């Protein structure tokens, strides 16, 4: 029985492709069996609760201290607020683990500053130009960065690059709005991806992403 | 000397805020307007924050200004994404109706 089940699944998939309306429960079962195999690679990368609580506690304490100039009487509000914030970080669903590379951070900050200045000057020139040179439209870009902080950072940074704005995410594709669709989207976003891989100490993607 | 540098940065920042507002008024649709608001106003705030940080006396004040800039930058990129996504989804629904 156990040994024949792959064959049965295969047969049901073929039946499904011929007459899809007849047996909707069979393909559901076969796709349900795939889910654990997809989920396991993500599991080891998750962060543990207690270190996350302590890190949140430390970061929030420093922010509170800096905001109030380390005044002792402000701690009446500060201690409950910091404890509450760190507990929320502890109770929220755990995100994906990530780490920053100190060597990638400075080049990224510099590159990002230059790009956001270019982006702002570009959009300001278009706004002030009497004929307003715009050719807006949407383009797609395939996401290859891992889930979590690298991907969130990538999607937020798209908005600050010249002429691009992340409009929607559909699965592993980001839909980018462009002010001028005559400009090629891929080189700019490939650059950004390379920078973010360096920032998060991720291996570089050797094959060019479509 | 520092006052002149700070004043120039704040003046340049104001120009970018004006550019963002002009873009908001002139650009044809919601997506182009979001470009103007996120990019031009983002740099405008960064320049004003830099100018004010030069004038600020204490390291605590500089740190506070940096925190403000950081959270505004993250929030503006995230909000513009949410607005664009809502516009796309509600717009697509409108076409089907």
């Amino acid at each position: 029985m156990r040994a024949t089940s792959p064959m049965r699944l295969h047969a049901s998939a073929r039946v499904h492709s011929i007459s899809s309306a007849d047996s909707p429960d069979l393909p559901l079962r076969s796709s349900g069996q795939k889910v654990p195999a997809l989920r396991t690679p993500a599991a080891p990368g998750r962060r543990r609760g207690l270190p996350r609580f302590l890190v949140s506690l430390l970061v929030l304490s420093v922010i509170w201290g800096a905001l109030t100039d380390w005044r002792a009487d402000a701690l009446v509000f500060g201690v409950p607020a910091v404890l509450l914030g760190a507990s929320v970080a502890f109770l929220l669903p755990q995100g994906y683990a990530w780490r920053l590379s100190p060597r990638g951070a400075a080049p990224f900050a510099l590159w990002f500053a230059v790009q956001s200045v270019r982006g702002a000057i570009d959009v300001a020139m278009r706004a002030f130009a009497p004929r307003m040179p715009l050719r807006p439209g949407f383009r797609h870009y395939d996401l290859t960065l891992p889930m979590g902080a690298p991907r969130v950072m990538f999607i937020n940074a798209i908005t600050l690059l010249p002429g691009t704005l992340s409009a929607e995410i559909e699965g592993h594709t980001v839909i980018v709005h462009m002010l001028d669709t005559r400009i090629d989207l891929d080189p700019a976003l490939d650059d950004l991806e390379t920078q973010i891989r360096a920032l998060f100490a991720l291996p570089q993607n050797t094959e060019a992403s479509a | 000397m520092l006052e002149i540098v700070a004043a120039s940065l704040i003046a340049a920042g104001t120009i970018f805020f004006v550019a963002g507002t002009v873009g908001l008024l002139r650009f044809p649709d919601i997506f182009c307007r979001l470009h103007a608001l996120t990019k031009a106003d983002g740099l405008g705030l960064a320049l004003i924050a830099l100018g004010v940080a030069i004038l600020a006396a204490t390291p605590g004040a500089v740190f506070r200004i940096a925190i403000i800039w950081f959270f505004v930058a993250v929030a503006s990129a995230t909000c513009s994404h949410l607005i664009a996504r809502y516009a796309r989804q509600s717009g697509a629904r409108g076409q089907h109706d």
Side-chain angles (χ1 to χ4, degrees), chain A residues 56-68 70 82, chain B residues 63 67:
Chain A
S56 317
L57 206 63
L58 186 71
V59 170
L60 291 174
S61 306
V62 169
I63 291 179
W64 182 270
L67 284 176
T68 56
W70 306 100
V82 165
Chain B
F63 184 78
I67 286 185

Side-chain angles (χ1 to χ4, degrees), chain A residues 42-55:
Chain A
R46 303 240 162 188
R47 297 192 137 189
R48 277 202 227 107
L50 190 64
R52 211 162 49 129
F53 177 75
L54 294 176
V55 168

Side-chain angles (χ1 to χ4, degrees), chain B residues 55-69:
Chain B
L55 294 179
T58 62
V62 174
F63 184 78
R64 280 192 284 277
I65 293 166
I67 286 185
I68 290 168
W69 170 80

Side-chain angles (χ1 to χ4, degrees), chain A residues 23-49:
Chain A
S23 53
D25 54 328
L26 285 175
L28 269 180
R29 220 178 57 183
S30 69
S31 70
Q33 285 181 346
K34 275 180 196 163
V35 168
L38 281 175
R39 202 176 284 161
T40 36
R46 303 240 162 188
R47 297 192 137 189
R48 277 202 227 107

Side-chain angles (χ1 to χ4, degrees), chain B residues 35-89:
Chain B
H35 280 273
L37 283 184
T38 50
K39 287 192 256 287
D41 286 11
L43 183 61
L45 176 74
L47 290 173
I48 291 176
L50 207 60
V52 175
I54 288 173
L55 294 179
T58 62
V62 174
F63 184 78
R64 280 192 284 277
I65 293 166
I67 286 185
I68 290 168
W69 170 80
F70 175 77
F71 282 119
V72 170
V74 172
S76 99
T78 309
C79 287
S80 89
H81 176 82
L82 291 176
I83 293 170
R85 187 177 71 170
Y86 178 77
R88 270 180 65 83
Q89 287 173 353

